[in-house]
Amino acid sequence: MATIYRDLDTISMAGIPVRGASGVGGGFEIMQEYKIDRKVFSTADLSAILMGLSSLSNMIRGDDLVNALAKVKSFIPADRAKDIELKANQVCIDLSPWMGNRNIQPYLEIIKTALQESKLLSFEYAGRYGNKTARKAEPYQLVLKDSHWYLQGYCHKRNDYRLFKLSRIVNLQIQEESFTPRDYQKPQLDFADILAAMQKDIKIRIHKSVMDRVLDYCTVEHFSPDGEEHYMVRFPFSCILPMLLSVAFHSISHRFFL
């Protein structure tokens, strides 16, 4: 009950009138004659909302986002439309990949539907060494972390919560069977402190031609010149394998595809 009153206070502080009615059929409601003042949103507010919704629509499509965008745009006064559009387009967040797994887009739509309807998902999951296991999971959250999409769900095979990487999921299907949501446990996504305590920095020598790829894993401050053609780079040991694979792919693609 305390949470409800807290929410009501927040709504009231935003300038939205709420009234309460006692007795049978009573409760709380926004006053019927209330109309949202279009001036309540500043140019910066509308630009930020449009930027966020437009970025999501690149990957997660559907009527909900289309309607939300249309409603937000209806709040834009004609005399501020050009300025708001300019500011909204100053930052572009494109979540779609350059290349790679083309199943990600349709999988996001399937998971989104399962989340909204509390439907079970079935799929095959590829492990670290490529072995696949049949899974059935209750979906609870879509997670975008480090440019990769994940599904946080309760796995019936493991009888525990698991964070499934979408690029490892095969034959994803939504089931007719519904489930009653459990007390949800959010996944731990920030390991910065743990990794900082465990790992050590190393140094490698790289050619200047791959500097742009290595910069994906460290900053310019980590570079020190080593002659005219090379650099010495210092960064965490855990980054070396993905960094080396990235550099190798870049070198191959540069040689054969450019």
Side-chain angles (χ1 to χ4, degrees):
M1 199 66 180
T3 302
I4 295 175
Y5 283 116
R6 239 187 346 259
D7 292 340
L8 289 172
D9 288 340
T10 301
I11 294 172
S12 297
M13 289 173 64
I16 301 174
V18 179
R19 73 174 185 177
S22 58
V24 178
F28 297 97
E29 65 178 4
I30 296 174
M31 295 177 68
Q32 293 183 0
E33 61 272 18
Y34 173 72
K35 302 292 183 185
I36 296 178
D37 184 359
R38 296 192 176 194
K39 295 181 180 178
V40 73
F41 293 109
S42 67
T43 298
D45 294 335
L46 290 169
S47 299
I49 295 171
L50 285 174
M51 190 189 306
L53 290 175
S54 299
S55 300
L56 274 178
S57 64
N58 289 333
M59 286 299 290
I60 302 177
R61 298 184 175 89
D63 293 338
D64 293 343
L65 275 175
V66 172
N67 292 335
L69 274 168
K71 287 178 181 178
V72 172
K73 289 179 179 179
S74 71
F75 282 98
I76 301 176
D79 60 331
R80 289 197 288 158
K82 188 173 182 180
D83 186 36
I84 289 173
E85 182 181 1
L86 176 65
K87 285 182 168 56
N89 291 329
Q90 285 176 343
V91 177
C92 175
I93 304 173
D94 189 346
L95 302 176
S96 58
W98 289 105
M99 60 181 71
N101 193 335
R102 295 300 175 184
N103 286 331
I104 298 297
Q105 174 67 54
Y107 281 5
L108 288 173
E109 294 300 322
I110 292 173
I111 295 170
K112 179 183 156 189
T113 300
L115 284 166
Q116 292 173 338
E117 300 178 4
S118 294
K119 297 284 189 180
L120 288 175
L121 291 169
S122 66
F123 53 90
E124 291 181 286
Y125 195 66
R128 183 180 301 176
Y129 302 107
N131 52 309
K132 296 178 183 177
T133 54
R135 304 292 184 102
K136 187 176 285 188
E138 303 167 10
Y140 286 97
Q141 187 179 39
L142 270 171
V143 177
L144 177 63
K145 178 75 173 178
D146 193 25
S147 301
H148 297 288
W149 284 98
Y150 298 85
L151 164 67
Q152 169 75 352
Y154 187 87
C155 179
H156 286 194
K157 182 178 179 64
R158 304 301 186 200
N159 292 318
D160 200 358
Y161 289 93
R162 289 291 187 270
L163 195 62
F164 299 103
K165 194 172 185 179
L166 261 61
S167 59
R168 293 186 179 184
I169 289 178
V170 183
N171 299 325
L172 178 67
Q173 295 182 1
I174 190 169
Q175 303 295 297
E176 290 297 325
E177 184 181 355
S178 301
F179 66 92
T180 302
R182 306 166 189 263
D183 290 334
Y184 173 59
Q185 299 176 4
K186 289 186 178 181
Q188 182 179 355
L189 301 174
D190 187 0
F191 294 93
D193 294 338
I194 298 174
L195 291 174
M198 293 175 57
Q199 63 191 9
K200 295 182 178 180
D201 285 352
I202 63 170
K203 285 186 177 182
I204 64 169
R205 187 171 184 261
I206 66 163
H207 191 266
K208 65 180 183 181
S209 62
V210 296
M211 181 178 179
D212 62 323
R213 303 302 301 170
V214 180
L215 278 170
D216 290 339
Y217 301 91
C218 57
T219 64
V220 176
E221 288 75 18
H222 291 86
F223 287 73
S224 57
D226 186 34
E228 295 182 0
E229 299 288 325
H230 295 84
Y231 289 95
M232 294 298 296
V233 190
R234 184 188 77 257
F235 56 90
F237 178 76
S238 61
C239 295
I240 189 168
L241 181 57
M243 186 278 294
L244 289 176
L245 290 174
S246 175
V247 170
F249 176 79
H250 173 75
S251 299
I252 293 171
S253 62
H254 182 79
R255 180 177 300 175
F256 292 103
F257 301 112
L258 296 183

